[in-house]
Amino acid sequence: MNRTHTPALPWYEDMGPGSGGLEPRAWYAGSDSGRMSLNGEWRFRLSPGAAAHDESFVRPGFDASGWKKLAVPGHWVLQGAGGAPAYTNVVYPFPVDPPRVPAENPTGDHVRTFDLPGRWPGDGEVVLRFDGVESCARVWLNGQELGHFKGSRLPHEFAVGGLLRAEGNVLAVRVHQWSSGSYLEDQDQWWLPGIFRDVTLLERPQGAPRDFFVHAGYDHRDGSGTLRVECDGAEGRIVLPELGVDVATGEAATVAVEPWTAETPRLYDGELVTAGERIPLRVGFRTVVVKDGVIRVNGRRVLFRGVNRHEFHPETGRTVDAATMRRDLALMKQHNINAVRTSHYPPHPAFLDLCDELGLWVIDECDLETHGFVGLEWRNNPVDDERWTPALLDRAARMVERDKNHASVIIWSLGNECGSGRGLTAMAKWIRGRDPERLVHYEGDLSCRDVDLYSRMYPAHAEVELIGKRAEDPWGDEELDARRRAMPFIMCEYGHAMGNGPGGLGEYQRLFERYERCQGGFVWEWIDHGIAHPGHGFAYGGDFGEELHDSNFVCDGLLFPDRTPSPGLIEYKKVVEPVRIEPVAGAGACAVRISNGYDFAGLEHLDFVWSYEVDGALVESGALDVPDLAPGTSAEVGLPLEGDGVWTVRAVLARDTAWGERGHVVAWGQVEAGVAGAAGTPAAAVGERPERSEGVITLGAGVFDAATGALVRLGAVPVEGLRLDVWRAPTDNDNGAAWQPDERYGLRWRELGLHRMRHRTDAVEVGEDALVVRTRVAPAGVGQGLRTTYRWTADGERLGLTVSVVPEGEWRVPLPRLGIRFGLPAAYGGARWFGGGPGEAYPDTRSASVLGRWQMSVDAMQTPYVRPQENGARADVRWAELTDGSGAGVRAEGGAPFWFTARRWTSEQLDAAEHVTELRAGETVWVNLDHAVQGIGSQSCGPGVLPEYRLDAEAAEFSFVFSATG
């Protein structure tokens, strides 16, 4: 009888977490025991598969001098050592056959030779620590196998003291790109194999603790903190000199303290002192609970102004150095972000030290995502297969044990987008048993059976309002439904920051502030994951020849890959600013209402300053006396001058902080009084008469083609192609996502043909005081069109234009824009305007637009989205000028505030480009003056444009006045 023989799985395909390693424990930056970094130059060899079992490289004396040199920490695919990055969002880049992986499994052998410091190894133990290896590793020291592990973004340690020698130690590590662990790490990021975090030898002296757990609660009723430190493997004392604390481990001490919060990150320096080791402590006292359906820290409701953060650097991938981590957190604080979700894995452990120090709330997320099973209707999902449960529990334990002593970590997250299952329940139970002093989060199970808070991704504004009222759609189980409705609510992801956008942030924020249950959210995400590329500038999915990829969906951050803030981050800063400065409605004299939106802090750390401008020119400025308001309170404050102009009031840091310098702007507001909103068109009664001669029509300073009525010159400045324009290069949010319910207008616009409009001249009428050009603008192949009339008038050197637009046919989609476009010679590349600035804005992304007088080059007006798309509009513009180096050029004034865009390529050329390096400056500066533009929304992974920001095709009339400058 034939029998089918199933061979045992190799270690990298078994479902277990690994073997030979030590139990997880807390991470800390340093102590008086020795440590030796093994970061640096290693030798490296890449094999195409895992089947080759040549292990000769692990033995001392093996000659690896001919191998490539590789920096550790790092990824071999980013160092020219073979292979290439690959990006997928959901789908696995290999056949889904858990726990098996392909035979084509790139395998990197790493070798490092090192000598020990003179006094090592001593009479204690020595531990070899890996902080991050993707996706699995098998480890040898001096020819002896130590074990193997999975869990790419988690720590793994081995006891190695008995194997070390004074000189010539050989550490050998075999890394496979794919393993059973890869099924648990489908986390919407580049697949980047390698030893990408630190490798360290740690001395563990006799009498040193194996582990310790700091418990530091705060009682807001009496202002006391209670400290107790559990110590495993050694007895010792806890000393906090500033508080006069000196107690034995395991004993509690209660003293008056200043609590730790993200706004006031008060830390007390101390030590854990044992016979074998002195470990520095930085203790923050705080208590986290859910009470009355609200997350409360130290007795107060908190509002998360958060961001999701992947670890990423455009040159080194997930290897992020300490300076970059600090820079990231300083940027977050400077932009009013107060919370981080560590999507979708624990960060480098040093990152959490910085969160403690600088002050951010942290949702620490486990290294777990099985999103690729969604396409299989979650069949064989590891989180619902008990054979995988040991690996899931191992991952939970490694996160919690490593990070348990951080005040900033207030919520543990089980993982991301894993569906639901018994393994998640087991993780939640273990975490609660180990650390009941924090909350448990998981978004992927709407029953909320395993968690302490209700969390959602990308719900529409209307649904958020229902949730705020605790009136959301019911869950099937009545008991679970009641439990969920009693929970606080957060959006663990919202405001998808892909390309131009996200729109609608302000509307979300108003819901958070209106409904106590809605405690904010975390914008997706912090940084674009564009990889530095010599040809593309920054590469995204597909640029490395991936068989499966998700294109530029990996570029969805508030920072560009080079860590320059995007307009989305500037907008978010304004939307979530913790101090509101608003005009007082109906105030007889100019006044502002100052509201303290902090959860804990007063305003004593801020100075308030004001400035008064007329037509963008500064008239006067000074300091504003604002009382030190308690959180949640407000006051009306009068402004010192009256008149027609713009007052700007700013709240700035009163002194240097760890993340910002004195004078850094935290919040601002403007009061506008009597500012002219229109220049007006030349009056017909004093208008000039058009003159026809030799194929042209002359009207004041304007010269027109007699056959088409097109403006060809304004004074001495040539003008090209002035006509109605309704097209924009669709944004990522315009194009939308297939899984979102709202209409994908970018696709609809292209189907309708708005990118290839045809312009027909029906009449050129020369009247007594005006030139009237009647046209029809429409795409080929359809019946819809826009009947467009241009009426030109002149008054001296001023040339007036009134545009009337009447839609014809049935328009079922909004317009991208409605205005005029024209070209000027390339020399006119300087821009000045009075209106919103300095950066771009759109109807639903204009909160950060400051009314004033601005000046920059046309080149500087461009926003370099990794995938080119519509960008660079300035809002609420009253006048704009395009000039050459001498100041000569063209000025346009609006009959009403308008939108102003200028660039050295057309919208069609912008639309055709896939990378910014494909955009080439031409011989023309193309200028858009828009009566209205469509909003942005967040439909690349979220709701579309809200109704109030849609540009419906309706009859419209708008006007401009043109004149020469210089």
Side-chain angles (χ1 to χ4, degrees), residues 457-470:
M457 294 181 180
Y458 309 106
H461 298 78
E463 184 181 358
V464 172
E465 182 151 32
L466 287 174
I467 293 170
K469 296 175 179 178
R470 303 189 190 270

Side-chain angles (χ1 to χ4, degrees), residues 11 26 214 277 332 382 434 477 499 554 654 765 793 802 820 834 849 868 957:
W11 69 271
V214 177
E277 187 177 25
M332 290 180 192
R434 179 59 172 143
D477 183 295
V554 76
E765 302 169 357
T793 59
T802 298
I820 59 171
F834 179 56
S849 184
E957 184 173 280

Side-chain angles (χ1 to χ4, degrees), residues 199-443:
V199 183
T200 314
L201 281 176
L202 300 168
E203 186 182 26
R204 306 304 304 138
Q206 289 187 0
R210 194 205 70 81
D211 193 14
F212 62 97
F213 194 166
V214 177
H215 303 268
Y218 177 73
D219 189 332
H220 64 279
R221 296 166 298 184
D222 61 11
S224 66
T226 299
L227 176 66
R228 179 175 60 87
V229 178
E230 300 174 23
C231 197
D232 180 7
E235 296 181 353
R237 299 196 69 78
I238 306 301
V239 180
L240 270 66
E242 187 177 355
L243 295 176
V245 171
D246 186 345
V247 297
T249 53
E251 294 182 3
T254 299
V255 292
V257 298
E258 298 173 39
W260 187 98
T261 75
E263 296 167 6
T264 56
R266 182 66 160 94
L267 294 172
Y268 291 90
D269 291 329
E271 277 191 316
L272 164 59
V273 181
T274 66
E277 187 177 25
R278 301 175 73 97
I279 299 173
L281 303 177
R282 304 197 77 188
V283 179
F285 292 86
R286 54 104 186 97
T287 295
V288 187
V289 298
V290 172
K291 184 177 180 182
D292 300 325
V294 175
I295 300 170
R296 300 183 189 276
V297 180
N298 303 336
R300 297 188 64 89
R301 172 187 184 258
V302 294
L303 180 58
F304 297 119
R305 301 167 166 92
V307 68
N308 285 275
R309 174 189 178 267
H310 269 298
E311 290 188 307
F312 183 76
H313 189 283
E315 296 174 346
T316 57
R318 277 188 286 283
T319 299
V320 181
D321 61 274
T324 299
M325 285 188 267
R326 178 175 282 275
R327 179 184 173 192
D328 276 356
L329 285 174
L331 277 171
M332 290 180 192
K333 296 287 288 189
Q334 289 165 13
H335 289 86
N336 295 327
I337 291 167
N338 72 354
V340 177
R341 175 180 175 229
T342 69
S343 53
H344 297 295
Y345 42 82
H348 189 290
F351 180 81
L352 298 176
D353 276 352
L354 294 172
C355 291
D356 293 344
E357 174 191 340
L358 300 180
L360 285 105
W361 309 115
V362 175
I363 297 181
D364 198 356
E365 191 150 271
C366 196
D367 189 12
L368 178 60
E369 180 170 338
T370 64
H371 202 175
F373 287 90
V374 68
L376 306 176
E377 299 180 341
W378 298 107
R379 291 189 305 275
N380 299 319
N381 184 9
V383 304
D384 200 29
D385 183 338
E386 63 184 11
R387 295 175 299 171
W388 292 83
T389 300
L392 303 184
L393 291 173
D394 179 77
R395 288 171 183 250
R398 291 185 184 280
M399 172 183 70
V400 170
E401 300 295 4
R402 192 196 75 169
D403 298 340
K404 58 183 177 283
N405 294 329
H406 290 282
S408 57
V409 177
I410 62 170
I411 299 172
W412 301 117
S413 179
L414 303 180
N416 185 66
E417 293 176 318
C418 295
S420 60
R422 294 164 288 175
L424 294 169
T425 300
M427 293 171 69
K429 181 179 179 181
W430 184 91
I431 290 173
R432 285 199 177 91
R434 179 59 172 143
D435 182 22
E437 297 168 354
R438 291 180 173 94
L439 308 181
V440 176
H441 166 273
Y442 177 66
E443 178 272 340

